[in-house]
Amino acid sequence: MFLIEDSRLIACKDLKTEQVNIPATVSTIGAKAFANHDRLTMLVFPASVKTIGDASFEDCTALTDITFQDGLKRFGRGCFRNCINLKKVCFPDTVASIHSNAFQGCIRLSIVRLSKGLRRNLESQTFGGCASLEEISIPQGIQQIKTGAFSGCTALRHVFFENSDVQIEKDAFLNCLALDTETITFIEEHTIDRNAIDIRSRAPDVAGRLSNYTERHFIFDGIQCGSIEGVLQSFKCPDSGKQEEICALSGGWAKRAGSQYEWKEKQMLYWKGQAFPRRSQEYQYLLDRLYLSVYEQDESFRNDLLALRGKRIDHRMGLSNPSETVLSRHEFIFRLQRLIEGTLQQH
């Protein structure tokens, strides 16, 4: 019944049973492996399965029940699209990514428990058209909800956002007509302003020059620095001598130098022999001093900021969870805005 090559289940032929137990030798369900099997009602996955491929169970219209195990990591594009009788999905917390259209058109899907291990984005049309879904919790690791992710979820009333700084693209909740007032307010406050100037490396003109990656030469607490990114990445390193070396770097070189240091587990950062808890006020003061030093010493940085006076700015590629980054999107934009306004102060 199963065609398996190198632990990849490529196809299922002549399915004569309503329940399928995926063999424990399988680690990947191949693209379209079970697509259009209209007799399949129940699926049981072993812990060996790590990836469910693109459109692998698309249009399995009789499917009602799925059992997943810890170890599963990735759901491919459209993997359960149009499984119109599927009612409940509980993702193991090992799942890190769910790709676009994964559960689009699952019109009877009413219960969804997302993985706490999800990172970065909820992609376009992930749950589009899930007309029976009434509530859902968006885990802390989700940084952005893409356009159409929940479009057409007409019964959706309550959305609980664990990440209070999540970015929401326009029309992510299009035609979700039953949303409660609190959810609507949150969505409106966190919807990305596409008219804002998006600060990022490789952007043209001032938006690119104001990136932390840009090479700059300034002195911070007596240390010669080559970029803001270099200083930020050096905060991950407890060794003062190595910190100075990282501070001199810019762009991707600085990013790579900092990536070798593990800091997230302890949530501790360092500067010149002093430890700073990531969420401490002292660390915020350190960031203030860094940006003020650059502003005072780098004329081009000052001029570019002043050119944005009266305009809206954003940093859409930035992570919003402080536990995941040494400088969150909010912390970055906050400081640029205060410098533009002349209200960032030394502590």
Side-chain angles (χ1 to χ4, degrees):
M1 183 168 64
F2 300 124
L3 177 59
I4 301 172
E5 293 182 1
D6 297 325
S7 78
R8 184 183 185 88
L9 198 161
I10 297 174
C12 176
K13 301 293 185 180
D14 301 319
L15 182 66
K16 293 181 172 56
T17 179
E18 294 181 351
Q19 177 174 336
V20 168
N21 292 273
I22 304 296
T25 56
V26 172
S27 64
T28 299
I29 310 295
K32 298 188 177 181
F34 290 83
N36 298 300
H37 276 300
D38 57 7
R39 294 182 59 182
L40 178 62
T41 62
M42 185 177 297
L43 271 172
V44 179
F45 289 84
S48 61
V49 174
K50 310 300 181 189
T51 299
I52 298 176
D54 296 349
S56 50
F57 296 93
E58 185 176 29
D59 293 315
C60 289
T61 54
L63 184 62
T64 58
D65 296 289
I66 311 174
T67 301
F68 299 120
Q69 307 293 335
D70 287 344
L72 187 57
K73 295 181 179 179
R74 177 187 182 275
F75 283 73
R77 291 186 294 274
C79 54
F80 288 95
R81 179 164 41 197
N82 296 331
C83 292
I84 58 175
N85 280 296
L86 186 61
K87 298 175 182 177
K88 178 180 179 180
V89 177
C90 293
F91 295 87
D93 286 336
T94 52
V95 174
S97 62
I98 306 172
H99 289 257
S100 59
N101 309 93
F103 292 86
Q104 183 183 14
C106 295
I107 59 175
R108 291 181 177 82
L109 184 61
S110 60
I111 299 175
V112 173
R113 178 201 172 275
L114 290 175
S115 162
K116 292 187 180 299
L118 281 175
R119 292 291 178 267
R120 300 293 292 186
N121 304 328
L122 270 182
E123 300 293 345
S124 176
Q125 295 294 332
T126 301
F127 295 101
C130 293
S132 298
L133 185 63
E134 295 186 6
E135 68 175 48
I136 192 166
S137 292
I138 310 298
Q140 179 71 38
I142 292 297
Q143 310 292 319
Q144 193 169 107
I145 301 175
K146 297 289 191 175
T147 297
F150 292 93
S151 66
C153 293
T154 52
L156 187 61
R157 294 182 56 81
H158 309 293
V159 183
F160 305 100
F161 299 91
E162 295 181 14
N163 180 1
S164 61
D165 198 30
V166 66
Q167 301 178 57
I168 301 174
E169 289 193 350
K170 184 181 179 182
D171 294 336
F173 292 88
L174 182 67
N175 292 328
C176 294
L177 306 177
L179 290 172
D180 63 26
T181 302
E182 184 177 353
T183 300
I184 291 172
T185 300
F186 185 95
I187 291 170
E188 290 176 346
E189 291 176 349
H190 291 77
T191 295
I192 295 170
D193 183 356
R194 289 295 178 186
N195 293 319
I197 295 173
D198 185 22
I199 308 298
R200 56 185 173 84
S201 63
R202 300 182 183 177
D205 303 323
V206 63
R209 294 196 299 270
L210 285 173
S211 164
N212 289 331
Y213 273 37
T214 300
E215 182 176 348
R216 303 185 185 282
H217 298 283
F218 60 95
I219 297 173
F220 182 49
D221 286 354
I223 295 177
Q224 289 280 351
C225 304
S227 70
I228 296 174
E229 187 67 26
V231 180
L232 293 170
Q233 292 298 325
S234 80
F235 291 159
K236 302 175 181 179
C237 174
D239 183 283
S240 298
K242 290 289 185 182
Q243 272 195 327
E244 291 197 34
E245 295 177 14
I246 298 172
C247 283
L249 302 175
S250 62
W253 294 104
K255 187 76 170 181
R256 284 189 287 273
S259 65
Q260 64 184 299
Y261 297 100
E262 296 292 338
W263 64 275
K264 295 179 184 177
E265 182 177 351
K266 294 183 178 179
Q267 289 292 299
M268 197 67 68
L269 298 165
Y270 309 90
W271 182 242
K272 302 190 75 172
Q274 182 179 350
F276 294 83
R278 174 61 181 90
R279 293 179 179 268
S280 66
Q281 189 61 56
E282 289 74 20
Y283 181 65
Q284 296 300 314
Y285 293 158
L286 178 64
L287 292 175
D288 289 345
R289 291 200 301 106
L290 168 61
Y291 278 88
L292 280 166
S293 294
V294 180
Y295 185 81
E296 291 166 358
Q297 298 175 51
D298 190 320
E299 183 178 5
S300 64
F301 184 65
R302 275 198 311 276
N303 290 339
D304 282 339
L305 281 172
L306 294 177
L308 295 182
R309 181 171 286 166
K311 299 179 181 179
R312 298 188 298 276
I313 59 176
D314 203 346
H315 180 52
R316 292 194 283 271
M317 70 176 295
L319 298 177
S320 56
N321 183 359
S323 298
E324 297 287 332
T325 176
V326 295
L327 184 76
S328 71
R329 166 180 171 254
H330 172 76
E331 290 168 336
F332 179 51
I333 295 304
F334 171 83
R335 281 166 180 82
L336 294 192
Q337 287 176 331
R338 293 301 181 272
L339 288 171
I340 292 170
E341 298 163 1
T343 57
L344 191 64
Q345 298 180 351
Q346 193 84 256
H347 298 277

